[in-house]
Amino acid sequence: MADTVSDDQKFCLKEVLDAFRLCLSENREVYLQHYVAGWRGLIKFLNTLGSVFGFISKDAVTKIQILVHLLNGENGSQYVTIQSMVKYEQGNELVDLTKRGNNQESGCRTLLRLHRALRWLELFLDRLRTSSEDGKTSVMCADAYNESLAKYHPWVIRKAAGMAFCLLPGRQAFLEIMNVGSSEQVVAMLGEAIPLISEVYQITEVLYAQHNMLDLP
Ligand SMILES: CCCCCCCCCCCCC/C=C/[C@@H](O)[C@H](COP(=O)(O)O)NC(=O)CCCCCCCCCCCCCCC
């Protein structure tokens, strides 16, 4: 039977794992191109979950597009790594530091939103990896969200997110959408992916802290 979803739209955890592996340079810089690719892979997953998640996917896609635009733009060479982006945008006053101004679509503030979401992902995937067969994905997702991203979101977004989480598929179906194989194989691959995601997160967190950019408006 013909598959209605073509291969390049189909989510595969391996693709995300590979992207986050490629993110790290030898001297622990983070390649923006692969960071964006990792997010693109994750969005494919979100899109398989149905239209209730559309408002989340739409926001993430908008942010990815801003970064891709910068990467492919005339100053693209300044955006090779997150480190070079921070240096370039800060050095050229391209970031709004205290209140929203002319630089609402800076790479730094845009990436910060995804960076905060990456912490949610790390917490969620770790819960998924260590959960029992009857673990509830909606609870894992909500707990991870409340521990991370929720504090940056207004009430109305938290409410909408909470409602969407209740519609997540159960653990088994969730693991199957990852297209890796048996549950044990998915769990093993998560065990490989989470430390990489965590490392990318930590490097970015330290960099943003050093530049006082953890609260960009
Ligand atoms: C698997 C279930 C997916 C649940 C996703 C959990 C995260 C919930 C986030 C709710 C965000 C709602 C949309 C709007 C957000 C914006 O207000 C807000 C602030 O932006 P602004 O400063 O430009 O106004 N934006 C954000 O915080 C960025 C949110 C980006 C969320 C990306 C979530 C991607 C989830 C990918 C799922 C992958 C599942 C993992 C499987 C291996």
Side-chain angles (χ1 to χ4, degrees):
M1 201 172 74
D3 202 332
T4 47
V5 183
S6 70
D7 274 350
D8 62 332
Q9 288 178 321
K10 215 167 154 188
F11 176 78
C12 177
L13 181 63
K14 174 86 168 53
E15 182 188 320
V16 171
L17 169 71
D18 289 343
F20 280 103
R21 184 175 283 133
L22 289 171
C23 265
L24 292 167
S25 79
E26 262 175 34
N27 54 348
R28 288 170 52 89
E29 296 208 359
V30 179
Y31 292 119
L32 193 54
Q33 183 196 348
H34 298 297
Y35 191 89
V36 163
W39 275 107
R40 279 215 165 115
L42 291 163
I43 302 307
K44 282 189 204 169
F45 185 92
L46 201 54
N47 289 341
T48 63
L49 297 178
S51 54
V52 233
F53 295 87
F55 75 107
I56 304 176
S57 155
K58 198 164 164 243
D59 184 71
V61 167
T62 303
K63 291 181 166 52
I64 291 168
Q65 279 171 347
I66 293 174
L67 295 175
V68 168
H69 193 72
L70 291 168
L71 257 172
N72 295 335
E74 53 179 332
N75 296 310
S77 61
Q78 311 283 356
Y79 288 87
V80 171
T81 64
I82 298 183
Q83 285 74 4
S84 66
M85 172 185 81
V86 166
K87 192 169 165 207
Y88 170 68
E89 289 197 344
Q90 213 175 38
N92 290 279
E93 292 177 20
L94 294 170
V95 190
D96 296 334
L97 294 172
T98 49
K99 61 176 188 335
R100 298 186 98 178
N102 297 330
N103 300 302
Q104 293 188 24
E105 296 202 338
S106 69
C108 289
R109 73 86 62 192
T110 302
L111 189 127
L112 177 62
R113 274 35 182 195
L114 295 176
H115 168 68
R116 291 169 177 166
L118 200 63
R119 177 69 182 150
W120 161 79
L121 183 73
E122 181 191 346
L123 294 172
F124 172 62
L125 293 182
D126 203 49
R127 280 178 162 82
L128 194 63
R129 184 183 71 86
T130 52
S131 60
S132 58
E133 252 171 58
D134 57 356
K136 283 208 177 319
T137 48
S138 54
V139 174
M140 296 178 225
C141 188
D143 287 349
Y145 177 73
N146 290 332
E147 253 184 62
S148 56
L149 258 185
K151 63 172 173 276
Y152 303 106
H153 289 161
W155 182 86
V156 59
I157 298 275
R158 293 202 305 267
K159 203 73 196 157
M163 277 163 24
F165 297 160
C166 294
L167 297 166
L168 282 175
R171 184 178 182 273
Q172 198 51 40
F174 207 94
L175 297 185
E176 274 165 27
I177 318 175
M178 297 204 186
N179 280 313
V180 172
S182 68
S183 301
E184 291 73 23
Q185 286 169 309
V186 182
V187 166
M189 194 175 282
L190 286 174
E192 268 186 80
I194 296 166
L196 291 168
I197 291 173
S198 172
E199 191 171 4
V200 168
Y201 176 84
Q202 285 307 331
I203 293 173
T204 312
E205 180 76 6
V206 170
L207 178 75
Y208 269 65
Q210 281 167 346
H211 289 84
N212 287 322
M213 295 208 307
L214 285 169
D215 296 309
L216 294 180

